[in-house]
Amino acid sequence: MPGKTDKVSNIILAYDGQDNSVFAIKQFAYLFKEWGDITTTLVTVNHDSSNHIRENRNVKDLVERHFRNLNYKVMHGDTIPQLEAFVKSCE
């Protein structure tokens, strides 16, 4: 464990429409309950031109229950390059 840690100021949750993503987000929310007021962005990458979050009813209910300062980001294209670019833009 490092002697000094940085304060978390931004949370990025990646969601791909799968149940595993919902489970991971749920576990994160339970482990870090005290981070509910931190700016949080739910990010998804669609391979088509849709601006909708896939299979969203479960994940939207979940994140809105646990994160009070929530944003949604829908991107298009290849998942890994899009996620990497988004994370870099948040630094």
Side-chain angles (χ1 to χ4, degrees):
M1 183 67 91
K4 179 185 177 232
T5 57
D6 294 331
K7 181 180 177 187
V8 174
S9 60
N10 189 21
I11 298 169
I12 300 170
L13 302 171
Y15 174 70
D16 66 0
Q18 301 296 314
D19 290 340
N20 290 339
S21 289
V22 175
F23 180 75
I25 292 168
K26 183 185 294 185
Q27 294 307 305
F28 182 89
Y30 291 143
L31 284 170
F32 301 105
K33 291 177 186 175
E34 67 277 7
W35 290 356
D37 291 322
I38 295 174
T39 300
T40 302
T41 305
L42 180 73
V43 179
T44 191
V45 180
N46 291 335
H47 297 286
D48 57 23
S49 61
S50 172
N51 287 322
H52 298 285
I53 298 173
R54 295 171 296 211
E55 306 294 328
N56 71 21
R57 76 178 174 274
N58 292 334
V59 75
K60 276 191 163 182
D61 289 345
L62 173 67
V63 295
E64 288 173 1
R65 205 170 329 135
H66 292 282
F67 302 99
R68 290 167 287 286
N69 191 2
L70 182 63
N71 302 299
Y72 295 96
K73 177 74 174 172
V74 177
M75 298 179 293
H76 305 94
D78 293 327
T79 303
I80 299 300
Q82 289 294 327
L83 288 176
E84 287 175 346
F86 181 74
V87 170
K88 286 181 183 177
S89 74
C90 294
E91 293 178 343

